[in-house]
Structures are given as structure tokens and as C-alpha cells.
Amino acid sequence: MSQVNPRSLVCLLNLPLLFVVICVSSQTSQAENSGQTSNTPPRPHFAIRVGNQPLKIYTDSQVADEWISAVVTHLNPKASTWELQIKVKDSELTEVWFPWESEPKATSHESKDDIVYSTYRLGVAHLASSLSSKTWLGHMYPGEAFAPLVVTANETHGRMVAAVNWPPKQATAKFARGRMAVLYHGKLLRQRNYDFKTMIATAESDSINMTRPWHLLLDKYKAWLLPHMKEEKLYPIAYTNEVRKANGWMHVSLHWLPKFDAHEIQKLYDDYKETFPWIQFWGQMSNYQRAPGEGRKAFATPPLSPNEKVGCCVDRPSVHRRYQPQLKEVFEYITKQGGMIGFYTRPKSPYKPLTHPDCADLKFLTDWIQENKLAGANAFYLDVLGAKYFGDALGMANILKKTLPGNSIIEWPVDIYPTSFLIGGSLWGGLKYNTRPGQSLSSLGENKDKVTFVNFGRYLLDDRIMFLGRSNGDWMWWGNFRKYHNWTERQAFLLGAKFDAATRFKGQRGWINPVNSVVKSVVEEWKRVHWWERQLKYRDRVGIEYIPDGFNVRRFVDEDGINFFVVDNLRSQTGQFMKFEGRSIALPAKKISIVVDKVK
């Protein structure tokens, strides 16, 4: 067993109170054990837990003690990647942390302005100074997090820690004030070898291209990710033509209809099919869900059976009897005209991994999809698949590619999943982040210590198809009934997302017209510039040097290098210009517009 030397005791003085730890180091000098020079980045530390024992911290590049033999290697200096190889001896390990940062690190002399960017939903941001340096936060990947990384950055400097294993491993990118780490989940068995790879990257802002450090750091992760996806034939993603060309869907909650009338569904389609020939249903397996506190005071027709479960998301594959046979007849009417009908589906509760051979829970999911097909559906919303852990990420990616239908959309993104994503709730962020219109990074330190930041995830997943609107709380800013001026629709436009468009029928609270004035303006602009045919990539505000007050502008680029600027001009200001790569570009007076800039 290695002894704890005085050099290692320094670690003990600054460790979080959350952990009881042991710092372990060999007796060799730093030069002897690392071979590092002054030009080599600092070698990352790592940590393990044996059973329920205190966390053991290692600071040397080579370790041999009673628990493990381990080596830390600098794999690729250009890509800033490191590898930890561990051989477990006679005691199982319950945790591995690589890298592990014992002490807070500064991004620059302006570290008081640091923001921590994490990958929850489509991105969240924490004011670093509001965090404790002794308490770790983070979100598990795959599941709550769309990528296994975390970034700490200010306007000029940034640092990133990312897990870069292939196939990807289940992990949580952790963060505290000034500290970042990756925690790997699952037991490490005795007398087995394991390896873990991490990217520890830094970046400085590019004033010429107006690129923020977080942009540059995500570019580094993308440069690692996409070649691996291509090798597995997961990228470019083979979206179906039906999904690619759609403006979105009309969201219909059948379980909120006190009495079902198939003619209302047919009229909805006939009225708005030119914009939304796709109706996406929730609750087709449920009777009416009465909720007097939310205004749904009527009683169900037909009456509820004793102990009957109701709701949007009951895991019951069969279509409820109250919709039969009229709903299927309407479906036939819609699909004969080239329309799309989507039904709700999800794995069986309680959730279990779907990736092991002959999985009964995967069969439950595929059988439900088949049931929906027989009912007339030709599109499939697969709930929670991106929001929970259902097995290793590559295994799930291959299930999505090879087993589940092409016209599938899953809830929330995961970086390697080759499918479309519903990102509803990424604006609000749930009660945990509770972000409202007008709250952004500039709100941090004023009245908020954390906000959602959807630019972050959209920049990483720059060409993925996403749907945003009615779902998961973002309905609160759809339309203008709360005087937020269609904030959800305008954010979808800025992100290049398709609409999850809200609807209402008689007796429901909500919105009657899914094609409101903002949706109509956006779709007209999309049609004018052939938006969906161009397969654009989101570039956020890279290269944009100036945007006038009252405007919100984002940049997209097509395969020919042509720039498209989506412009949200809420107050219809006239005579205004933005500045891009040293050039002035006129901004239209229209509230919603797309500017095509063909100068390369």
C-alpha cells in the first residue's frame, strides 16, 4: 500500500465536506512519475470508491496499491485527451471519478464572471459564484443530460471537461464552483481491466469571428463526436422526408376532451392542413381526465370505470373504446390525403434498460407501436426515451436506427441518438430552473443564479430536427394570452425548431387556432427561402458583431456556405442594421423575417 506523503496532504485541506477522502500518492518525485515538461498541460487527478469506504484521491500518473493498478496517459495533446487505465484487484469499485479536481481553478483573472454551462434538457447555465465549491451538481448521461460534458466560461476564457469514451459510458459531468469532474456509474468488478477517456480543453474568445469560448469548446467536442457517429453510420442522420419537410404538428390531448367528437378532429385537419398536415395525439389510451382545479369540470363520456387510470401517458397500448371506430375512420380520411397521424408511446413502468438481448420491455414498446400502426398511426412520439436511462447510449442509438420507426420523435435529446427530438420544457426548465421570458444569461447575478440556456444545446446539436411548443410547461408562453407576445413560437423560430403547436376544442382551456399570426409569419418565411430543403446548421451568433436593441438574431449556414439570419423584430423597428464580419446588413421592419446573405 502506498503511503500518504506530505505533498498529498495538501489535497486534504481543500476537499469538499461532502466527501470523506484519502489522498494517495507514490513516493516518487513529480518529474519521475509524470515525465511532464513546462509545456505539458497539468495531468488530471482521479478518484475511486471501494464499497462504502471514503473516496480515495490519486495525484500520480502511475499507481499500484492494494485496490488498483492504474496509469494516466496523455493520449492526444492536440485534442486535449487523457486516458485512465485501471486494473481492479480484490475489491469491487463503486465509483470512478476522472478527472477529479480537488481545488477550484480559475478560467482567467475575470473568474468572478464565470458561468457554468451544463447539458440538462437543451442547456442550462449557473452563475459560478452562486455555487458551493464543496457540493457537486450534475446530470446523468444518457438520460437527463444530452452530452457528458460541462463548461465553465466567461466572455474571454473557458474550460471544458468531457467524457470521450467510445462506445459512450454512463456518466455524470459534475460541477461545483471552480471545479469540474466526471463520475462514472456502475460497479467495476474484481480482477478486471477498465479504461476511461476524458477531454480537458481550454479556449479563448475569438474577437475576429465573435466566437465565445463555449462555442469553441463545443466545437472541440463535436470534432471528436461526429467521426465516431459516422463510423457507426449514425450520422448524417437519415430523417424521413415526412419528418424533414414538416413545419411541425398540431398537438391534440384526447384525454382532455370531455366528449369525443371525430368531426372536430377532421375539421381541425381541414382548416390547417396546408400548414400542419400532421396531428400528434396524446392520451389515445385514456378516457377523459377530469381536473376541476384546471378548469376541466365536466364528467367523462362514457363514465369512468372503477379505478380506471386516465392521463396523457398511461402505459396502456390499446386505443380507448370511446374513440372507436370513429377515430380510425378520420385517420383514413387524413392519411389518404397524405396527412400524418401520430400516437403516443412509451416504455413500460417501472423503466428498465432496453438494450439487453430478448428484452421484454423493448418488446412491450415495439408491440405498442404495432398496435398504433393498426389503429392508423404513421408517426410515433416515444416519450421519455431521451429523458431517462434505458441502457448504454450506443445500444439505444442502434435500437432507434434499426428497430424503431423512422417517423419517430423522442422526448429530449441525446447527442448520439439518430432521431428527432421534442425539446418542450427546455425554455422553462421545470421548477428546478423556472426561467421566464426575458430571463437570460444577463439575468444571472441580478435576480437569478441559474437559467435555461437553449443556445448551448442547439449549437452542439446544430443540424438535428427538434420540435418546440406546447409540451412540458412551455405552453405558458404560447400565444399571447399571458402578454408574453408568443415567446415560445419566437424561440422556436430562432432555434430553427419545428412547431409543437397548441390547439383547443370546445370545453377546453387553451388556444383555438394553432396557426396564429406568429406561426403563420414563420411558416411563410420558411416557405419563401425553402428552409427545410436546405438542411441548415445553427451557428448561434458566431460572426455577428452587433445587433440593435429590440432585435434577436441567430445565424444558420447551408451546405453551400450561404448564411441565413432569422430575425425577431418584436417592435417592428425600421431603418436598423446588424453588423456581420465587418459588413452592415439591413434588418427588415417585419416582426418575423429571414435574411439571406449570399456573400461568402
Side-chain angles (χ1 to χ4, degrees), residues 36 40-41 52 64 90 263 307 396 406 454 563 577 595:
Q36 288 182 287
T40 305
N52 295 320
D90 294 326
H263 294 97
N307 302 317
M396 281 300 301
V454 292
N563 291 301
F577 293 80
V595 175

Side-chain angles (χ1 to χ4, degrees), residues 72-141:
V72 176
T73 306
H74 199 188
L75 287 181
N76 185 341
K78 185 176 180 180
S80 307
T81 53
W82 298 78
E83 180 180 47
L84 168 64
Q85 295 176 306
I86 288 182
K87 180 177 181 179
V88 182
K89 293 188 177 177
D90 294 326
S91 300
E92 286 186 351
L93 307 187
T94 52
E95 292 181 11
V96 172
W97 296 68
F98 180 65
W100 165 273
E101 293 184 346
S102 298
E103 300 177 6
K105 295 183 178 180
T107 54
S108 70
H109 66 281
E110 297 294 340
S111 292
K112 61 182 176 56
D113 300 321
D114 281 356
I115 294 172
V116 179
Y117 301 93
S118 183
T119 56
Y120 179 66
R121 296 198 177 180
L122 197 62
V124 294
H126 291 248
L127 183 66
S129 61
S130 72
L131 300 171
S132 168
S133 64
K134 303 179 184 298
T135 302
W136 290 109
L137 303 176
H139 309 284
M140 187 176 71
Y141 169 91

Side-chain angles (χ1 to χ4, degrees), residues 10 38 64 69 120 185 196 204 207 466:
V10 176
S38 59
S69 297
Y120 179 66
H185 302 272
F196 305 90
E204 295 184 18
S207 59
M466 301 181 179

Side-chain angles (χ1 to χ4, degrees), residues 176-389:
R177 188 175 74 241
R179 305 169 69 207
M180 297 185 290
V182 176
L183 166 63
Y184 288 95
H185 302 272
K187 291 182 179 180
L188 274 63
L189 302 179
R190 291 177 293 176
Q191 301 301 321
R192 298 280 184 90
N193 296 318
Y194 298 88
D195 61 86
F196 305 90
K197 296 181 178 67
T198 190
M199 180 185 294
I200 305 173
T202 60
E204 295 184 18
S205 59
D206 183 340
S207 59
I208 296 176
N209 294 318
M210 297 305 294
T211 310
R212 298 286 182 263
W214 66 265
H215 291 134
L216 297 168
L217 291 166
L218 290 184
D219 286 340
K220 292 174 185 283
Y221 181 77
K222 276 191 281 191
W224 168 83
L225 174 70
L226 295 184
H228 286 286
M229 291 185 66
K230 288 177 181 177
E231 188 174 348
E232 296 285 344
K233 295 182 171 53
L234 298 174
Y235 187 88
I237 296 169
Y239 294 112
T240 65
N241 288 332
E242 294 89 349
V243 172
R244 188 178 291 282
K245 70 184 181 182
N247 295 316
W249 61 48
M250 292 183 285
H251 180 135
V252 173
S253 297
L254 290 170
H255 59 292
W256 284 359
L257 301 176
K259 184 178 180 179
F260 174 68
D261 183 352
H263 294 97
E264 287 187 329
I265 303 296
Q266 184 170 324
K267 186 177 188 307
L268 178 73
Y269 176 78
D270 286 338
D271 287 349
Y272 304 115
K273 63 185 177 182
E274 296 304 316
T275 301
F276 295 122
W278 181 346
I279 303 178
Q280 181 63 45
F281 293 95
W282 271 254
Q284 79 274 0
M285 75 302 285
S286 173
N287 201 338
Y288 175 60
Q289 184 181 21
R290 185 173 183 266
E294 297 179 15
R296 301 194 296 275
K297 299 180 181 180
F299 290 92
T301 302
L304 295 177
S305 303
N307 302 317
E308 181 177 356
K309 292 182 179 180
V310 294
C312 67
C313 312
V314 180
D315 56 352
R316 184 188 302 126
S318 58
V319 176
H320 195 277
R321 60 188 173 88
R322 78 170 185 152
Y323 308 117
Q324 303 289 11
Q326 297 93 336
L327 190 59
K328 188 170 184 179
E329 294 170 358
V330 173
F331 286 5
E332 291 173 354
Y333 170 82
I334 292 173
T335 54
K336 282 180 180 178
Q337 299 183 58
M340 294 182 68
I341 295 296
F343 262 175
Y344 176 94
T345 316
R346 73 166 170 88
K348 186 177 183 179
S349 298
Y351 300 135
K352 298 176 183 177
L354 304 178
T355 52
H356 57 80
D358 303 318
C359 176
D361 290 79
L362 178 58
K363 186 176 187 304
F364 175 88
L365 182 65
T366 56
D367 285 351
W368 190 349
I369 290 170
Q370 184 60 31
E371 187 89 13
N372 287 346
K373 288 180 179 179
L374 294 174
N378 56 7
F380 310 92
Y381 171 62
L382 310 179
D383 201 12
V384 306
L385 281 191
K388 303 288 184 181
Y389 179 73

